Amino acid sequence: MEEYVPSEYVKKYFNYLMFERKLSDNTVLSYNNDLKDLDIYFNGDLLNVTYDQLVKYFASFDKLSARSLAHHITVVSSFYNFLLREEFITTTPCLNIVLPKIPQKLPNYLTEDEVNLLLDIRLITPYDYRNKAMLELLYATGLRISELCNLKVTDVDLVNCFVRVMGKGNKERIVPFGDVALKYLQLYINKYRPLILHQHVSDYLFISNLYKNISRQAFFKIIKKECQRSGIKKNVSPHILRHSFATHLLKHGADLRIIQELLGHEDIATTQIYAHLVNEKLKDDYMYHPRNKKE
């Protein structure tokens, strides 16, 4: 089997994704897999593809799940929007392509009471204070676990109460945090981080017992241990704290666009899932309305 070589316009598109949009390697690889199928199907003649041809092409993916097919259509549409914007074509064949309906899967999250239980850590060792500072900061900012693990001391402004985060696609954002996270960050940085380092030197904020930055796996184990201690039965991951951060903000009246900025979502549609989640909770709670009881 011959090795796949992208056609001219697919190469141009990938240069755009990597050097202008600065998407992550994993995202570019995902796009590559989708556009490879398109490129091969049309033998590289992508400028002359019609709507009817595309409909037939997408129909050939009848074994794909609705979610996977929707992703494939989105990637192809993005490619043709790029060609249109660069004036390689005068109209996009994707204009009237309809995405398949995807059953909505709402994210899991902790209630505010469960978060309080999780964060009620018994503080004895320097590592307890580190864990407390990490969890408080994660819940206060909604950072991704990779962003938290890669934070450096210089990324945290204790005076103005914000962290500088390098997110997906090397995009920087500023995320504020509140008084509780500030209190435990100050304690950890000023008193307990030096004890963990034992005169070793590191630029990273959260340090493991090997004097390196805490790993994703180690952080996951910390959350599991604290869930067992607090009696939380849910399968809690670091990402569930991110979901909890967004859900609780929205529940208390925060603007969806602000939450989008804080989370570092490129598309508001990604953030809108939390609006659905809060709406579902409201509908569940409405059953307690005195006029909602059926005769």
Side-chain angles (χ1 to χ4, degrees):
M1 184 180 292
E2 291 185 12
E3 183 179 352
Y4 166 67
V5 178
S7 61
E8 177 187 357
Y9 294 100
V10 171
K11 287 180 182 177
K12 289 179 185 293
Y13 181 60
F14 283 123
N15 284 335
Y16 161 73
L17 293 181
M18 290 185 290
F19 301 117
E20 291 190 41
R21 289 192 59 191
K22 300 185 185 300
L23 296 186
S24 68
D25 292 342
N26 286 339
T27 302
V28 173
L29 181 61
S30 170
Y31 276 44
N32 179 69
N33 291 336
D34 284 319
L35 288 181
K36 176 182 176 182
D37 290 334
L38 181 80
D39 209 4
I40 292 173
Y41 185 91
F42 290 107
N43 295 314
D45 184 19
L46 300 177
L47 299 188
N48 299 306
V49 174
T50 66
Y51 167 81
D52 289 336
Q53 289 174 322
L54 263 190
V55 169
K56 185 178 178 181
Y57 166 70
F58 288 131
S60 70
F61 292 92
D62 58 321
K63 292 183 181 179
L64 278 186
S65 68
R67 189 174 299 275
S68 297
L69 180 58
H71 179 270
H72 189 51
I73 292 173
T74 300
V75 170
V76 173
S77 296
S78 175
F79 169 67
Y80 275 106
N81 285 338
F82 164 77
L83 295 183
L84 184 64
R85 193 166 55 250
E86 297 297 315
E87 299 182 349
F88 295 123
I89 56 176
T90 57
T91 184
T92 168
C94 298
L95 191 60
N96 295 309
I97 298 288
V98 179
L99 291 176
K101 287 190 175 181
I102 303 171
Q104 197 155 51
K105 184 180 178 182
L106 298 179
N108 292 324
Y109 69 99
L110 296 177
T111 65
E112 292 178 51
D113 286 341
E114 286 171 331
V115 170
N116 289 334
L117 283 172
L118 177 64
L119 297 181
D120 187 21
I121 297 172
R122 191 179 177 195
L123 301 173
I124 300 173
T125 71
Y127 295 104
D128 294 331
Y129 282 91
R130 178 203 64 189
N131 297 349
K132 174 72 169 173
M134 285 194 299
L135 288 169
E136 288 287 357
L137 185 62
L138 194 64
Y139 177 59
T141 58
L143 299 187
R144 299 177 180 92
I145 181 57
S146 57
E147 294 169 345
L148 185 87
C149 292
N150 289 316
L151 278 181
K152 296 183 178 178
V153 177
T154 52
D155 293 328
V156 181
D157 187 329
L158 295 176
V159 176
N160 298 299
C161 295
F162 68 77
V163 287
R164 182 177 288 104
V165 185
M166 191 60 69
K168 287 186 175 181
N170 290 324
K171 291 182 179 177
E172 185 181 275
R173 70 184 191 278
I174 302 297
V175 186
F177 54 82
D179 292 340
V180 178
L182 173 64
K183 173 185 173 181
Y184 289 102
L185 277 171
Q186 286 175 324
L187 263 175
Y188 166 69
I189 291 172
N190 295 329
K191 184 174 181 180
Y192 294 102
R193 185 175 176 275
L195 295 178
I196 293 174
L197 277 171
H198 288 300
Q199 297 183 335
H200 289 76
V201 177
S202 175
D203 292 332
Y204 289 102
L205 177 60
F206 295 116
I207 306 300
S208 72
N209 57 0
L210 299 175
Y211 316 118
K212 299 177 181 179
N213 59 317
I214 196 86
S215 68
R216 296 161 60 102
Q217 294 79 4
F219 191 86
F220 194 93
K221 289 178 181 177
I222 289 166
I223 285 190
K224 290 293 183 187
K225 184 185 85 171
E226 294 303 334
C227 282
Q228 289 176 348
R229 170 198 56 77
S230 57
I232 296 172
K233 303 299 182 184
K234 291 178 181 175
N235 185 21
V236 179
S237 68
H239 214 70
I240 284 183
L241 270 181
R242 180 170 161 89
H243 293 323
S244 305
F245 161 83
T247 304
H248 298 166
L249 272 180
L250 194 60
K251 180 181 171 185
H252 287 282
D255 184 87
L256 200 62
R257 289 281 180 188
I258 298 299
I259 296 173
Q260 177 192 4
E261 290 294 323
L262 294 174
L263 291 174
H265 287 162
E266 188 169 313
D267 191 339
I268 189 66
T270 311
T271 319
Q272 281 171 337
I273 190 70
Y274 298 108
H276 292 300
L277 196 150
V278 171
N279 289 339
E280 288 295 316
K281 180 67 168 64
L282 287 173
K283 281 194 285 186
D284 290 343
D285 288 348
Y286 188 75
M287 66 178 286
Y288 299 108
H289 190 281
R291 290 285 188 181
N292 195 42
K293 296 183 190 278
K294 293 182 179 178
E295 300 294 334

